[in-house]
Amino acid sequence: MASFGVIGLGVMGQNLALNIEEHGFPVAVWNYESDWIDRFLAAHPGKQLTGAKRLEDLVAAIERPRRILVMIKAGAPVDQTLVKLRPLLSPGDVVIDGGNSWWEDTQRREAETRPSGAFFFGAGVSGGEEGARHGPCLMPGGAKDAYASVQPVFEAIAARTESGPCVTYIGPGGAGHFVKMVHNGIEYGDMQLIAEAYDILRTVGGLEYSELADTFGAWNRSELQSFLIEITSKIFTKKDDQGTGKMLVELIVDATGMKGTGKWTVQQASELAAPIPTIASSVEARIVSAQRAERLAASKILSGPKPGPANVDKKQLIDDVRHALYASKICSYAQGMNLLKTASKTYEWGLQLGRISRIWKGGCIIRAAFLDRIKQAYERDANLPNLLIDSEFAKELGDRQAGWRRVIGLAVQSGLAMPTMTASLAYYDSYRRERLPANLTQAQRDFFGAHTYLRLDKEGSYHTEWSE
């Protein structure tokens, strides 16, 4: 019999099924369109794969307690599948939703499944097609007692670093999908920060694509080493194969798409009063980029400096941008970790931030050597209020801020938008100030709405008749 089931044979489902099978767990598969099952089995002869044309056949083909991974489009399709699947389950069975589901849906589905004696897990899966096939980062959330059932499979198929498999039990209910959502929000920030670094180096610094490839390649051997920096270096070496003679990246339309997890991260941060300006500005940057037709029209009307090559020292600019990118990255991760900390306290999930940063070191899109530093920071102080005030990160931010400020100043003078690096510096400057201008905001709120205010020199709340 099969020891594991997979529902959904899209790219991720197929690759995860093959990954699971290759690690010694025979797999039964089911797909809504049954011809996909036939094609999948035909493409992989000799594998321990069993095709099931009905959900009843899938459940019957898996040894108990059953472990079934659902890899289908998030939203209504998951609910529709669960309505058909739940009556077929037995106590102790575990159903795992590996899609990018909204974490509150996962909470609800877990509660709806519990009366049957079966378990429902929401597992964030990161790493894309390549990760699914050869080692993803997995973020499972659900009943802790049920994790023992899926742990051997997840630890076998996950990416591995020197710290171990890139999977850990995250927490109850929707904790796994919440952590994956924040992972994706950090990913948005990382990508936008890299795009801004590219923009100022190319537009203002005048770097050729060969120079950009070399620069990002060198950065990937530094403290900035990461998957996203690595692939960016490779992107700058790819020529168009359609005969234009240009670099392919030059021909790609400057309008970024998104699937919603970044937006969800911003919405949740607002609900929980956890500031994430770096991530929020990266989402807004994608939205502005998508308004391409409006931007093209506005470019013929609105005045300002026209971005272009400036008389700068290339070597100094490259060094400054490296510092600005790294410092901004620290702010982005600090914001993401603070959001996780706030959610953990609010929802009583008991998230272990050090463990989460450990599993993000491999398999996932934001994997980076930098994450080991974050793990160490939380090992030094599990209750760290903010990564910015960890002794090592605080020193690095201090050492790098001169270049960070020069880059943003140069961008402003050149008419170049750098919303995410600027938001990162504003976050840093706001967090380190003893006094902010919120005193005036509070006075305004009291003036027009009698919302009251607190005083520095006295206890209690006060209201003033300002217009007397």
Side-chain angles (χ1 to χ4, degrees):
M1 294 186 74
S3 59
F4 205 90
V6 173
I7 291 176
L9 290 175
V11 170
M12 293 293 287
Q14 287 191 33
N15 282 296
L16 284 165
L18 292 171
N19 189 353
I20 294 166
E21 190 275 340
E22 286 184 359
H23 282 88
F25 303 95
V27 179
V29 299
W30 178 86
N31 195 79
Y32 183 79
E33 298 89 351
S34 60
D35 56 319
W36 286 42
I37 303 171
D38 297 330
R39 289 198 299 271
F40 178 62
L41 297 178
H44 302 285
K47 298 284 188 181
Q48 296 185 82
L49 300 169
T50 302
K53 296 301 177 72
R54 302 184 309 153
L55 278 176
E56 292 86 348
D57 298 333
L58 176 81
V59 171
I62 306 170
E63 63 187 26
R64 295 176 59 182
R66 303 176 183 94
R67 298 165 292 188
I68 302 173
L69 176 64
V70 179
M71 294 300 299
I72 59 179
K73 186 177 180 181
V78 176
D79 285 316
Q80 292 161 4
T81 301
L82 290 174
V83 166
K84 297 175 182 177
L85 183 60
R86 280 195 194 102
L88 308 174
L89 300 175
S90 301
D93 291 350
V94 182
V95 178
I96 309 132
D97 175 14
N100 274 333
S101 289
W102 173 237
W103 71 274
E104 288 185 336
D105 285 343
T106 302
Q107 299 258 106
R108 170 179 55 79
R109 290 164 184 154
E110 194 272 339
E112 291 170 350
T113 303
R114 202 181 307 137
S116 70
F119 299 97
F120 184 83
F121 260 71
V125 180
S126 182
E129 179 180 354
E130 184 71 13
R133 185 66 182 85
H134 300 292
C137 171
L138 299 164
M139 295 156 261
K144 190 169 186 177
D145 291 346
Y147 181 61
S149 177
V150 300
Q151 184 176 0
V153 180
F154 279 8
E155 289 189 351
I157 69 170
R160 300 187 75 86
T161 69
E162 74 285 353
S163 302
C166 295
V167 58
T168 190
Y169 173 73
I170 297 296
H177 274 141
F178 192 99
V179 168
K180 175 57 163 52
M181 175 192 75
V182 174
H183 163 284
N184 285 17
I186 293 171
E187 178 185 312
Y188 274 51
D190 258 6
M191 294 175 73
Q192 179 62 26
L193 287 169
I194 291 170
E196 291 175 13
Y198 148 69
D199 196 11
I200 195 166
L201 289 174
R202 173 70 176 163
T203 305
V204 179
L207 270 69
E208 299 294 336
Y209 281 103
S210 60
E211 293 175 295
L212 288 167
D214 290 344
T215 296
F216 277 79
W219 287 355
N220 197 46
R221 297 185 294 274
S222 73
E223 72 281 3
L224 284 169
Q225 185 276 320
S226 69
F227 172 71
L228 287 170
I229 293 289
E230 177 187 351
I231 66 170
T232 301
S233 176
K234 293 177 179 178
I235 286 168
F236 292 143
T237 67
K238 185 69 173 177
K239 286 191 174 181
D240 178 37
D241 61 4
Q242 303 299 311
T244 64
K246 295 184 177 181
M247 303 305 293
L248 180 56
V249 70
E250 281 282 283
L251 300 171
I252 297 175
V253 174
D254 56 322
T256 309
M258 56 181 175
K259 293 185 177 179
T261 47
K263 179 181 69 176
W264 290 349
T265 307
V266 175
Q267 290 170 338
Q268 280 300 288
S270 180
E271 288 285 336
L272 294 169
I276 56 167
T278 303
I279 297 169
S281 62
S282 72
V283 173
E284 291 166 357
R286 291 194 181 199
I287 295 169
V288 172
S289 77
Q291 298 171 337
R292 189 167 185 271
E294 289 184 40
R295 289 190 290 108
L296 291 174
S299 69
K300 298 176 175 59
I301 300 170
L302 301 178
S303 62
K306 185 176 181 180
N311 184 22
V312 295
D313 180 329
K314 273 189 183 182
K315 186 176 182 301
Q316 182 66 57
L317 178 61
I318 290 170
D319 198 45
D320 283 351
V321 173
R322 177 170 67 88
H323 291 317
L325 179 55
Y326 187 71
S328 298
K329 187 182 178 79
I330 293 173
C331 290
S332 181
Y333 279 77
Q335 294 160 27
M337 289 299 181
N338 266 13
L339 175 53
L340 291 180
K341 182 184 69 175
T342 304
S344 180
K345 183 177 180 180
T346 302
Y347 304 122
E348 300 180 342
W349 283 338
L351 299 183
Q352 300 293 314
L353 301 185
R355 290 183 188 176
I356 291 169
S357 57
R358 179 192 71 75
I359 68 170
W360 284 351
K361 286 171 57 182
C364 66
I365 302 302
I366 64 170
R367 60 185 182 266
F370 169 83
L371 282 154
D372 202 45
R373 305 279 307 287
I374 296 177
K375 178 176 76 73
Q376 292 166 10
Y378 286 110
E379 287 173 350
R380 285 190 289 272
D381 182 359
N383 298 311
L384 188 66
N386 192 306
L387 274 176
L388 300 189
I389 61 171
D390 171 74
S391 58
E392 291 195 10
F393 284 125
K395 182 179 185 307
E396 289 196 321
L397 287 164
D399 291 344
R400 295 166 190 270
Q401 66 177 282
W404 194 8
R405 295 180 190 281
R406 282 194 295 268
V407 166
I408 290 170
L410 177 61
V412 170
Q413 293 168 358
S414 303
L416 203 69
M418 300 189 74
T420 305
M421 276 195 188
T422 304
S424 299
L425 181 58
Y427 174 75
Y428 174 75
D429 280 340
S430 295
Y431 193 70
R432 71 184 183 85
R433 280 194 68 184
E434 292 182 16
R435 186 163 172 80
L436 294 170
N439 53 326
L440 176 57
T441 306
Q442 282 298 90
Q444 292 170 331
R445 293 180 72 243
D446 188 59
F447 191 116
F448 66 68
H451 293 294
T452 74
Y453 55 88
L454 303 177
R455 292 178 60 108
L456 292 172
D457 58 345
K458 296 180 181 179
E459 296 293 325
S461 297
Y462 292 85
H463 167 61
T464 296
E465 294 298 330
W466 297 90
S467 58
E468 288 182 351

